[in-house]
Amino acid sequence: MTQRTDRSAGNPPLREDDARARRVRAWLGQHLYCALSSLGRLSGRPGATALTVLAMGLALALPLLVLLLVDSLGALGGMVSDSREISAFLMPGATAGQVADAAAAARSLPDASGVAVRDPAQGLDELRAISGFGPAIEAIGENPLPHVLVVSPGGDASAAHVGALADALGALPGVAHVQFDLEWRERLDAVLAVGRRLAWVFGALLALGAVLVVGNTIRLDVAARADEIAIVQLLGGSDGFVRRPFVYTGIWYGVLSATIALAGTWAAVLFLGGPLARLAAAYSGVLALRGPGVTAHLAMFGFGIVVGWAGAWVTVRRRLALGRAR
């Protein structure tokens, strides 16, 4: 074990492990001091801090809200789930054994997650309820409807897989006709894909705007403390030492703006959830606008910290480089 001796002060020899532990404690103490002092500076100017945090929070909340809307539309029940279901009409007059064999064959298909058998009486009741022509249907007398297999594709099945499942159902013995709305599903998938892409592009542009907001705020702070920075540099302070409090200021901006963004997103979810649910119910659908989950909360705080750190680090680094060039 190596030792280090401080002879000028007459101190006893220090072990290398003890010296390393002291350096680590000193390093952690400096970071803790910078974090707390930067938070104190922000609280000392509440007006300017609130404007910066609100601007960044708005930039972070908008893409998150768009993603939540797109995901909620992707999980839309009712009319969307009905459009995914495939109706396989059996031959008229099929026996109970033929219906059971066709249902078993449908359940064995790879992309079929559920198969429900709808008998002619159930089909007639649904037709009577939907059409509103109950008396006219009663006048028909004999029920002309066949047995129907309602097949639900897997939740992660793409439009191509749904189409392949429909073709496989049409090839089963006893199936006379297969009906499903692949075109609607393809359009829905395309709209959702475009919506997600737009949300990411929108988020990237607004994140860049948030970085610029932080950078401009930090630039003004650096200019206001130019004399203090010059004294620190004359005393031998490194660029990292000078940059550290400003970087922590940017991190605090990111944390506070993420908090504002999440609070605003939850407020928007609560405000829009009821009207959207009533709109979907008017079209026989069920739409629940879900708020951000735990992963989204953690991602938002992480993203806010990265944005604040990046804006502060780049700005201070550039200002220090310009100062040396002079």
Side-chain angles (χ1 to χ4, degrees):
M1 182 69 65
T2 60
Q3 294 181 341
R4 181 170 59 88
T5 304
D6 189 354
R7 298 184 179 181
S8 60
N11 292 330
L14 292 177
R15 292 184 178 182
E16 189 65 28
D17 292 343
D18 295 337
R20 185 181 300 110
R22 288 190 177 185
R23 289 196 297 269
V24 171
R25 286 196 297 268
W27 182 82
L28 292 176
Q30 290 176 4
H31 279 268
L32 180 61
Y33 173 78
C34 289
L36 295 179
S37 62
S38 60
L39 181 60
R41 286 181 178 273
L42 291 180
S43 62
R45 49 174 190 266
T49 301
L51 289 176
T52 303
V53 169
L54 288 176
M56 291 181 61
L58 179 62
L60 298 179
L62 288 178
L64 176 61
L65 186 59
V66 173
L67 283 175
L68 291 177
L69 287 172
V70 172
D71 289 341
S72 297
L73 289 174
L76 183 64
M79 55 184 176
V80 176
S81 63
D82 292 342
S83 70
R84 285 176 55 84
E85 292 178 347
I86 303 173
S87 299
F89 296 86
L90 302 184
M91 295 290 184
T95 64
Q98 292 173 334
V99 173
D101 292 341
R107 292 188 181 95
S108 66
L109 296 176
D111 292 321
S113 65
V115 177
V117 179
R118 187 174 299 165
D119 58 37
Q122 291 174 330
L124 189 63
D125 291 339
E126 291 185 5
L127 181 62
R128 185 184 296 110
I130 295 174
S131 64
F133 295 102
I137 294 176
E138 293 294 341
I140 296 177
E142 184 180 355
N143 189 347
L145 299 179
H147 286 82
V148 181
L149 302 180
V150 181
V151 182
S152 300
D156 56 349
S158 62
H161 286 86
V162 175
L165 178 60
D167 294 337
L169 287 171
L172 294 179
V175 176
H177 175 66
V178 175
Q179 178 179 346
F180 77 111
D181 197 349
L182 178 61
E183 184 178 0
W184 162 251
R185 183 60 194 177
E186 289 177 340
R187 289 176 179 175
L188 178 63
D189 289 340
V191 169
L192 294 178
V194 172
R196 291 189 181 93
R197 292 289 182 91
L198 286 177
W200 285 110
V201 172
F202 198 40
L205 293 176
L206 289 175
L208 179 59
V211 170
L212 295 178
V213 169
V214 175
N216 184 66
T217 304
I218 297 297
R219 181 183 63 82
L220 297 176
D221 197 8
V222 171
R225 300 169 61 183
D227 295 338
E228 178 183 343
I229 293 173
I231 293 174
V232 171
Q233 289 177 327
L234 288 175
L235 294 177
S238 63
D239 287 352
F241 184 84
V242 173
R243 189 168 49 234
R244 190 173 299 148
F246 299 103
V247 170
Y248 273 106
T249 300
I251 290 175
W252 283 119
Y253 276 132
V255 172
L256 295 174
S257 62
T259 303
I260 294 297
L262 290 171
T265 301
W266 275 109
V269 168
L270 295 176
F271 183 73
L272 296 175
L276 286 177
R278 289 192 292 271
L279 177 62
Y283 291 92
S284 302
V286 179
L287 176 61
L289 182 58
R290 298 171 295 182
V294 176
T295 303
H297 280 76
L298 296 177
M300 176 59 70
F301 278 109
F303 187 65
I305 289 173
V306 170
V307 168
W309 171 86
W313 192 88
V314 171
T315 300
V316 179
R317 183 176 182 273
R318 181 173 178 273
R319 297 292 295 182
L320 293 177
L322 291 176
R324 284 193 300 269
R326 294 174 185 175

